[in-house]
Short mmCIF file of all heavy atoms in Angstrom, two decimals:
data_model
loop_
_atom_site.label_atom_id
_atom_site.label_comp_id
_atom_site.label_asym_id
_atom_site.label_seq_id
_atom_site.Cartn_x
_atom_site.Cartn_y
_atom_site.Cartn_z
N ALA A 527 -15.15 -4.77 -9.16
CA ALA A 527 -14.70 -5.56 -7.95
C ALA A 527 -15.15 -6.99 -7.92
O ALA A 527 -14.65 -7.80 -7.15
CB ALA A 527 -15.12 -4.83 -6.68
N GLU A 528 -16.16 -7.34 -8.72
CA GLU A 528 -16.73 -8.62 -8.67
C GLU A 528 -15.67 -9.73 -8.92
O GLU A 528 -14.92 -9.61 -9.89
CB GLU A 528 -17.87 -8.77 -9.68
CG GLU A 528 -18.74 -9.98 -9.42
CD GLU A 528 -19.86 -10.15 -10.44
OE1 GLU A 528 -20.13 -9.17 -11.13
OE2 GLU A 528 -20.38 -11.27 -10.58
N GLY A 529 -15.60 -10.66 -8.03
CA GLY A 529 -14.63 -11.75 -8.22
C GLY A 529 -13.24 -11.34 -7.77
O GLY A 529 -12.31 -12.10 -7.98
N ALA A 530 -13.09 -10.14 -7.15
CA ALA A 530 -11.78 -9.72 -6.72
C ALA A 530 -11.19 -10.65 -5.64
O ALA A 530 -11.91 -11.12 -4.76
CB ALA A 530 -11.75 -8.32 -6.23
N GLN A 531 -9.90 -10.87 -5.72
CA GLN A 531 -9.23 -11.75 -4.77
C GLN A 531 -9.37 -11.17 -3.39
O GLN A 531 -9.47 -11.96 -2.43
CB GLN A 531 -7.83 -11.90 -5.16
CG GLN A 531 -7.13 -13.00 -4.48
CD GLN A 531 -6.31 -13.89 -5.46
OE1 GLN A 531 -6.28 -13.56 -6.65
NE2 GLN A 531 -5.74 -14.92 -4.98
N SER A 532 -9.25 -9.91 -3.22
CA SER A 532 -9.34 -9.29 -1.91
C SER A 532 -10.67 -9.64 -1.18
O SER A 532 -10.71 -9.97 -0.02
CB SER A 532 -9.21 -7.75 -1.98
OG SER A 532 -10.23 -7.24 -2.80
N ILE A 533 -11.74 -9.65 -1.91
CA ILE A 533 -13.07 -10.00 -1.36
C ILE A 533 -13.11 -11.47 -0.97
O ILE A 533 -13.59 -11.82 0.12
CB ILE A 533 -14.19 -9.65 -2.36
CG1 ILE A 533 -14.22 -8.14 -2.55
CG2 ILE A 533 -15.55 -10.13 -1.90
CD1 ILE A 533 -15.27 -7.59 -3.50
N TYR A 534 -12.55 -12.28 -1.81
CA TYR A 534 -12.52 -13.72 -1.46
C TYR A 534 -11.70 -13.94 -0.19
O TYR A 534 -12.11 -14.69 0.68
CB TYR A 534 -11.85 -14.47 -2.69
CG TYR A 534 -11.67 -15.93 -2.44
CD1 TYR A 534 -12.73 -16.76 -2.26
CD2 TYR A 534 -10.36 -16.46 -2.43
CE1 TYR A 534 -12.55 -18.13 -2.04
CE2 TYR A 534 -10.20 -17.83 -2.21
CZ TYR A 534 -11.29 -18.73 -2.04
OH TYR A 534 -11.13 -20.00 -1.85
N TYR A 535 -10.54 -13.27 -0.05
CA TYR A 535 -9.79 -13.44 1.17
C TYR A 535 -10.51 -12.93 2.40
O TYR A 535 -10.50 -13.52 3.52
CB TYR A 535 -8.41 -12.70 1.09
CG TYR A 535 -7.46 -13.35 0.08
CD1 TYR A 535 -6.40 -12.59 -0.47
CD2 TYR A 535 -7.58 -14.68 -0.28
CE1 TYR A 535 -5.50 -13.14 -1.36
CE2 TYR A 535 -6.67 -15.25 -1.17
CZ TYR A 535 -5.65 -14.47 -1.71
OH TYR A 535 -4.76 -15.03 -2.54
N LYS A 536 -11.21 -11.80 2.19
CA LYS A 536 -12.05 -11.28 3.35
C LYS A 536 -13.02 -12.25 3.74
O LYS A 536 -13.38 -12.42 4.93
CB LYS A 536 -12.65 -9.93 3.00
CG LYS A 536 -11.61 -8.79 2.98
CD LYS A 536 -12.36 -7.49 2.52
CE LYS A 536 -11.37 -6.35 2.53
NZ LYS A 536 -12.03 -5.09 2.22
N GLU A 537 -13.78 -12.88 2.86
CA GLU A 537 -14.81 -13.85 3.14
C GLU A 537 -14.18 -15.05 3.92
O GLU A 537 -14.72 -15.54 4.89
CB GLU A 537 -15.54 -14.32 1.90
CG GLU A 537 -16.48 -13.24 1.45
CD GLU A 537 -17.05 -13.50 -0.03
OE1 GLU A 537 -16.58 -14.43 -0.67
OE2 GLU A 537 -17.94 -12.72 -0.43
N LEU A 538 -13.07 -15.53 3.43
CA LEU A 538 -12.32 -16.64 4.13
C LEU A 538 -12.03 -16.27 5.52
O LEU A 538 -12.24 -17.01 6.51
CB LEU A 538 -11.08 -16.99 3.38
CG LEU A 538 -11.12 -17.77 2.07
CD1 LEU A 538 -9.75 -18.02 1.57
CD2 LEU A 538 -11.72 -19.17 2.37
N LEU A 539 -11.48 -15.05 5.71
CA LEU A 539 -11.12 -14.59 7.05
C LEU A 539 -12.34 -14.40 7.96
O LEU A 539 -12.30 -14.65 9.18
CB LEU A 539 -10.29 -13.31 6.97
CG LEU A 539 -8.89 -13.51 6.34
CD1 LEU A 539 -8.24 -12.21 5.98
CD2 LEU A 539 -7.98 -14.27 7.34
N ASN A 540 -13.45 -14.01 7.38
CA ASN A 540 -14.65 -13.89 8.18
C ASN A 540 -15.21 -15.23 8.61
O ASN A 540 -15.83 -15.29 9.70
CB ASN A 540 -15.73 -13.09 7.37
CG ASN A 540 -15.56 -11.59 7.59
OD1 ASN A 540 -14.81 -11.17 8.48
ND2 ASN A 540 -16.24 -10.77 6.80
N LYS A 541 -15.02 -16.20 7.82
CA LYS A 541 -15.42 -17.58 8.23
C LYS A 541 -14.62 -17.98 9.44
O LYS A 541 -15.16 -18.54 10.44
CB LYS A 541 -15.16 -18.63 7.07
CG LYS A 541 -16.21 -18.58 6.06
CD LYS A 541 -16.04 -19.63 4.94
CE LYS A 541 -17.02 -19.35 3.84
NZ LYS A 541 -16.62 -20.06 2.58
N LEU A 542 -13.30 -17.72 9.39
CA LEU A 542 -12.45 -17.99 10.51
C LEU A 542 -12.88 -17.15 11.79
O LEU A 542 -12.96 -17.69 12.88
CB LEU A 542 -11.00 -17.65 10.16
CG LEU A 542 -9.87 -17.92 11.10
CD1 LEU A 542 -9.77 -19.41 11.38
CD2 LEU A 542 -8.57 -17.35 10.57
N GLU A 543 -13.19 -15.91 11.52
CA GLU A 543 -13.54 -15.01 12.63
C GLU A 543 -14.86 -15.46 13.29
O GLU A 543 -15.04 -15.34 14.49
CB GLU A 543 -13.73 -13.57 12.05
CG GLU A 543 -14.06 -12.53 13.06
CD GLU A 543 -12.88 -12.10 14.00
OE1 GLU A 543 -11.74 -12.33 13.54
OE2 GLU A 543 -13.15 -11.57 15.05
N THR A 544 -15.80 -15.99 12.50
CA THR A 544 -17.06 -16.46 13.02
C THR A 544 -16.83 -17.57 14.10
O THR A 544 -17.42 -17.53 15.15
CB THR A 544 -17.93 -16.97 11.86
OG1 THR A 544 -18.16 -15.90 10.97
CG2 THR A 544 -19.28 -17.48 12.38
N ASP A 545 -15.92 -18.47 13.76
CA ASP A 545 -15.62 -19.58 14.71
C ASP A 545 -14.64 -19.14 15.78
O ASP A 545 -14.68 -19.72 16.94
CB ASP A 545 -15.04 -20.70 13.93
CG ASP A 545 -16.04 -21.32 12.94
OD1 ASP A 545 -17.25 -21.23 13.25
OD2 ASP A 545 -15.59 -21.96 11.91
N ARG A 546 -13.73 -18.25 15.45
CA ARG A 546 -12.76 -17.81 16.41
C ARG A 546 -12.70 -16.30 16.54
O ARG A 546 -11.86 -15.64 15.82
CB ARG A 546 -11.31 -18.31 15.92
CG ARG A 546 -11.21 -19.82 15.66
CD ARG A 546 -10.90 -20.61 16.96
NE ARG A 546 -9.70 -20.20 17.56
CZ ARG A 546 -8.47 -20.70 17.25
NH1 ARG A 546 -8.41 -21.67 16.35
NH2 ARG A 546 -7.43 -20.29 17.91
N PRO A 547 -13.57 -15.78 17.32
CA PRO A 547 -13.60 -14.32 17.41
C PRO A 547 -12.22 -13.73 17.81
O PRO A 547 -11.57 -14.18 18.69
CB PRO A 547 -14.66 -14.06 18.55
CG PRO A 547 -15.43 -15.27 18.64
CD PRO A 547 -14.61 -16.37 18.17
N GLY A 548 -11.82 -12.77 17.03
CA GLY A 548 -10.50 -12.11 17.35
C GLY A 548 -9.36 -12.72 16.41
O GLY A 548 -8.28 -12.17 16.46
N ALA A 549 -9.76 -13.65 15.60
CA ALA A 549 -8.66 -14.32 14.79
C ALA A 549 -8.02 -13.34 13.78
O ALA A 549 -6.79 -13.24 13.66
CB ALA A 549 -9.23 -15.46 14.04
N LYS A 550 -8.86 -12.45 13.22
CA LYS A 550 -8.32 -11.45 12.22
C LYS A 550 -7.40 -10.48 12.92
O LYS A 550 -6.31 -10.14 12.43
CB LYS A 550 -9.44 -10.70 11.61
CG LYS A 550 -10.27 -11.45 10.61
CD LYS A 550 -11.27 -10.56 9.84
CE LYS A 550 -12.38 -10.01 10.72
NZ LYS A 550 -13.48 -9.41 9.97
N LEU A 551 -7.88 -10.00 14.10
CA LEU A 551 -7.12 -8.99 14.81
C LEU A 551 -5.77 -9.59 15.28
O LEU A 551 -4.70 -8.94 15.11
CB LEU A 551 -7.86 -8.56 16.05
CG LEU A 551 -7.31 -7.40 16.89
CD1 LEU A 551 -7.16 -6.15 16.14
CD2 LEU A 551 -8.15 -7.08 18.13
N ILE A 552 -5.82 -10.85 15.80
CA ILE A 552 -4.54 -11.44 16.28
C ILE A 552 -3.63 -11.68 15.04
O ILE A 552 -2.43 -11.41 15.20
CB ILE A 552 -4.89 -12.76 16.97
CG1 ILE A 552 -5.56 -12.46 18.33
CG2 ILE A 552 -3.60 -13.63 17.25
CD1 ILE A 552 -6.20 -13.61 19.00
N PHE A 553 -4.14 -12.14 13.98
CA PHE A 553 -3.33 -12.34 12.75
C PHE A 553 -2.55 -11.11 12.39
O PHE A 553 -1.34 -11.15 12.13
CB PHE A 553 -4.30 -12.75 11.62
CG PHE A 553 -3.62 -13.02 10.32
CD1 PHE A 553 -2.56 -13.87 10.15
CD2 PHE A 553 -4.16 -12.42 9.12
CE1 PHE A 553 -1.91 -14.15 8.90
CE2 PHE A 553 -3.57 -12.68 7.85
CZ PHE A 553 -2.49 -13.48 7.78
N TYR A 554 -3.28 -9.97 12.40
CA TYR A 554 -2.56 -8.69 12.02
C TYR A 554 -1.64 -8.18 13.08
O TYR A 554 -0.50 -7.83 12.81
CB TYR A 554 -3.67 -7.64 11.72
CG TYR A 554 -3.08 -6.34 11.31
CD1 TYR A 554 -2.37 -6.21 10.11
CD2 TYR A 554 -3.35 -5.20 12.06
CE1 TYR A 554 -1.85 -4.96 9.72
CE2 TYR A 554 -2.86 -3.91 11.60
CZ TYR A 554 -2.10 -3.85 10.50
OH TYR A 554 -1.56 -2.61 10.11
N LEU A 555 -2.15 -8.21 14.31
CA LEU A 555 -1.30 -7.62 15.41
C LEU A 555 -0.01 -8.46 15.66
O LEU A 555 1.09 -7.89 15.91
CB LEU A 555 -2.06 -7.48 16.71
CG LEU A 555 -3.19 -6.45 16.70
CD1 LEU A 555 -3.86 -6.33 18.05
CD2 LEU A 555 -2.72 -5.08 16.22
N ARG A 556 -0.14 -9.78 15.62
CA ARG A 556 1.05 -10.70 15.83
C ARG A 556 2.03 -10.43 14.66
O ARG A 556 3.24 -10.48 14.86
CB ARG A 556 0.63 -12.07 15.88
CG ARG A 556 -0.12 -12.44 17.14
CD ARG A 556 0.81 -12.58 18.37
NE ARG A 556 0.02 -13.04 19.47
CZ ARG A 556 -0.62 -12.31 20.36
NH1 ARG A 556 -0.60 -11.03 20.22
NH2 ARG A 556 -1.29 -12.81 21.37
N PHE A 557 1.49 -10.21 13.46
CA PHE A 557 2.39 -9.85 12.31
C PHE A 557 3.14 -8.62 12.61
O PHE A 557 4.37 -8.56 12.37
CB PHE A 557 1.53 -9.76 11.02
CG PHE A 557 2.21 -9.01 9.96
CD1 PHE A 557 3.29 -9.60 9.30
CD2 PHE A 557 1.83 -7.68 9.68
CE1 PHE A 557 3.95 -8.88 8.28
CE2 PHE A 557 2.48 -6.96 8.70
CZ PHE A 557 3.61 -7.54 8.02
N LEU A 558 2.46 -7.58 13.05
CA LEU A 558 3.11 -6.33 13.31
C LEU A 558 4.17 -6.49 14.36
O LEU A 558 5.32 -5.97 14.24
CB LEU A 558 2.14 -5.21 13.76
CG LEU A 558 1.10 -4.71 12.74
CD1 LEU A 558 0.30 -3.55 13.32
CD2 LEU A 558 1.82 -4.18 11.47
N GLU A 559 3.89 -7.25 15.37
CA GLU A 559 4.90 -7.47 16.45
C GLU A 559 6.10 -8.25 15.94
O GLU A 559 7.26 -7.85 16.21
CB GLU A 559 4.22 -8.32 17.56
CG GLU A 559 3.29 -7.52 18.46
CD GLU A 559 2.57 -8.47 19.47
OE1 GLU A 559 2.97 -9.60 19.72
OE2 GLU A 559 1.51 -8.00 20.00
N ALA A 560 5.81 -9.29 15.16
CA ALA A 560 6.92 -10.07 14.63
C ALA A 560 7.76 -9.29 13.69
O ALA A 560 9.02 -9.37 13.66
CB ALA A 560 6.32 -11.31 13.89
N ARG A 561 7.11 -8.48 12.90
CA ARG A 561 7.88 -7.64 11.92
C ARG A 561 8.81 -6.64 12.62
O ARG A 561 9.96 -6.44 12.26
CB ARG A 561 6.91 -6.86 10.98
CG ARG A 561 7.54 -6.33 9.75
CD ARG A 561 6.57 -5.38 9.04
NE ARG A 561 6.57 -4.12 9.80
CZ ARG A 561 6.42 -2.96 9.24
NH1 ARG A 561 6.27 -2.86 7.93
NH2 ARG A 561 6.39 -1.84 9.98
N LYS A 562 8.21 -6.01 13.69
CA LYS A 562 8.98 -5.05 14.45
C LYS A 562 10.12 -5.67 15.15
O LYS A 562 11.23 -5.09 15.21
CB LYS A 562 8.03 -4.39 15.50
CG LYS A 562 8.55 -3.20 16.14
CD LYS A 562 7.53 -2.57 17.05
CE LYS A 562 8.15 -1.38 17.83
NZ LYS A 562 7.30 -0.89 18.87
N SER A 563 9.97 -6.92 15.63
CA SER A 563 11.00 -7.48 16.39
C SER A 563 12.11 -8.16 15.48
O SER A 563 13.17 -8.54 15.97
CB SER A 563 10.44 -8.61 17.30
OG SER A 563 10.00 -9.70 16.48
N GLY A 564 11.77 -8.23 14.17
CA GLY A 564 12.75 -8.72 13.25
C GLY A 564 12.73 -10.30 13.20
O GLY A 564 13.60 -10.92 12.67
N GLU A 565 11.70 -10.87 13.85
CA GLU A 565 11.60 -12.35 13.91
C GLU A 565 11.29 -12.92 12.52
O GLU A 565 11.70 -14.06 12.17
CB GLU A 565 10.49 -12.81 14.81
CG GLU A 565 10.75 -12.64 16.25
CD GLU A 565 9.45 -12.88 17.04
OE1 GLU A 565 8.53 -13.43 16.59
OE2 GLU A 565 9.41 -12.35 18.20
N LEU A 566 10.58 -12.15 11.72
CA LEU A 566 10.07 -12.73 10.41
C LEU A 566 11.18 -12.87 9.41
O LEU A 566 11.36 -13.92 8.86
CB LEU A 566 8.98 -11.83 9.88
CG LEU A 566 7.50 -11.98 10.37
CD1 LEU A 566 6.59 -11.07 9.66
CD2 LEU A 566 7.13 -13.45 10.23
N PHE A 567 11.82 -11.78 9.10
CA PHE A 567 12.80 -11.77 8.03
C PHE A 567 13.98 -10.97 8.45
O PHE A 567 13.91 -10.12 9.34
CB PHE A 567 12.21 -11.22 6.70
CG PHE A 567 10.95 -11.87 6.26
CD1 PHE A 567 9.75 -11.28 6.48
CD2 PHE A 567 11.00 -13.07 5.57
CE1 PHE A 567 8.56 -11.91 6.10
CE2 PHE A 567 9.88 -13.66 5.17
CZ PHE A 567 8.63 -13.09 5.42
#
Side-chain angles (χ1 to χ4, degrees):
Chain A
E528 195 180 342
Q531 196 131 1
S532 58
I533 293 178
Y534 177 63
Y535 289 159
K536 285 180 179 182
E537 284 168 353
L538 281 179
L539 291 167
N540 273 348
K541 281 182 189 165
L542 183 64
E543 183 75 20
T544 300
D545 296 333
R546 304 276 300 270
K550 287 187 293 191
L551 183 63
I552 290 167
F553 179 50
Y554 181 62
L555 293 184
R556 292 281 186 274
F557 159 73
L558 292 183
E559 284 172 17
R561 197 192 74 148
K562 192 175 174 187
S563 69
E565 287 168 21
L566 277 183
F567 304 100

